Amino acid sequence: MTGTSRAIVIDRPGSHRLTTGPRPAPGPGEVLVEVAAAGICMSDREVYDGHRDAAYVRYPVIPGHEWSGTVAAVGDGVDPALAGRKTVAEGFRACGVCERCRYGETSLCGGGYAETGFTEPGAFADHVVVPARLLHPLHDDADLRAAALLEPSAVIAAAVRAGRPRPGERIAVVGAGTLGLLAVQLLAAGSPAELAVVDPREARGQLALGFGATHALSPAEAESAYGSFDLVVETAGAPTTAASSCLLARRGGRVVLTGMFTEGAVGIDPVHLSLSQLEVRSVFGASSGAWADAVRAFGLGLLDPAALITHQFPLERFEEAVALVGGGDPKTGKVLLLP
């Protein structure tokens, strides 16, 4: 294969460069994907700032784990019919043979942590190479800008699997960022009796109402609803939201934590946990099954990630783009890089 390919490389925290080199070639069992769009999330900002746990990043790194594109070439042993297909791909490079993988729990792979955009070259680039077994092909008419958000959608699909919502239940989503708004969309499709969203930003709460939430609450207002919800899906990762999510759940209720918490987060009260007989689950990434759920929901129109996109930048403006993420502006939703 000939041609060149550009990529953003973070050599160390706070230091990045835009490189140009030979277009990569897929090896056996791999595909080369021409990137259409790549989302920037707080995990990418943490990589850039140097705040990600050292066990979950390997510098220098090409970031980019939320992405979509078109298969440009296939390696030996890969179905040639994949060439030209629109696609997304799982980020975790699960081994596929350990006990957890055999159970279908690929996000719990015992073969060691490896993930596109953190330990393996990611999609803040013109092209990305991934194992073909991780692909989830899309419909021919799929919106690839919107499809770049299927990675966080898969995380939410994993949370929904863990939470087991049933029609007619009272459900709360804590946080109205990208994960929270995707959660509202997916949970609304299950016909809850009530779907509340809790966020201190009024504008984000109002946005959630347009995605299917029945009402929006500030954290202070939510205190009057403690003990009310069958299922609480936490998406914010703020210092107090794990504890407050458990307080929102009714006795015998279910709580799913998807936010990435940092040291110093307020702990869950073990006395309340035991007396209330709560079921608490956490989600980190998504299994292959959750990815399939998200892609199916996207294809059916149950998820509309495009509505969350507020900014688009070329690779050359990466520094400007990453500065927007986590900047606190309620008008900033999902930020995309378009190679």
Side-chain angles (χ1 to χ4, degrees), residues 119-148:
T119 65
E120 313 299 323
F124 290 177
D126 291 323
H127 301 88
V128 62
V129 174
V130 295
R133 61 187 172 81
L134 301 180
L135 294 185
H136 288 265
L138 306 173
H139 295 167
D140 291 342
D141 61 352
D143 177 357
L144 287 178
R145 288 173 59 260

Side-chain angles (χ1 to χ4, degrees), residues 286-303:
S287 68
S288 297
W291 268 92
D293 287 348
V295 171
R296 185 179 302 112
F298 177 64
L300 291 171
L302 299 177
L303 284 172

Side-chain angles (χ1 to χ4, degrees), residues 171-259:
I171 301 175
V173 174
V174 177
T178 297
L179 287 177
L181 294 175
L182 289 169
V184 167
Q185 292 186 31
L186 202 53
L187 290 164
S191 302
E194 180 180 343
L195 181 55
V197 65
V198 180
D199 197 286
R201 302 164 295 180
E202 183 179 355
R204 302 297 289 183
Q206 290 300 310
L207 192 57
L209 295 178
F211 291 145
T214 57
H215 55 287
L217 304 170
S218 69
E221 291 170 335
E223 292 180 10
S224 64
Y226 280 175
S228 299
F229 295 97
D230 300 289
L231 170 64
V232 182
V233 178
E234 188 284 328
T235 68
T240 61
T241 51
S244 64
S245 294
C246 290
L247 295 175
L248 282 166
R250 65 163 176 81
R251 295 190 69 206
R254 308 178 309 280
V255 179
V256 183
L257 307 176
T258 69

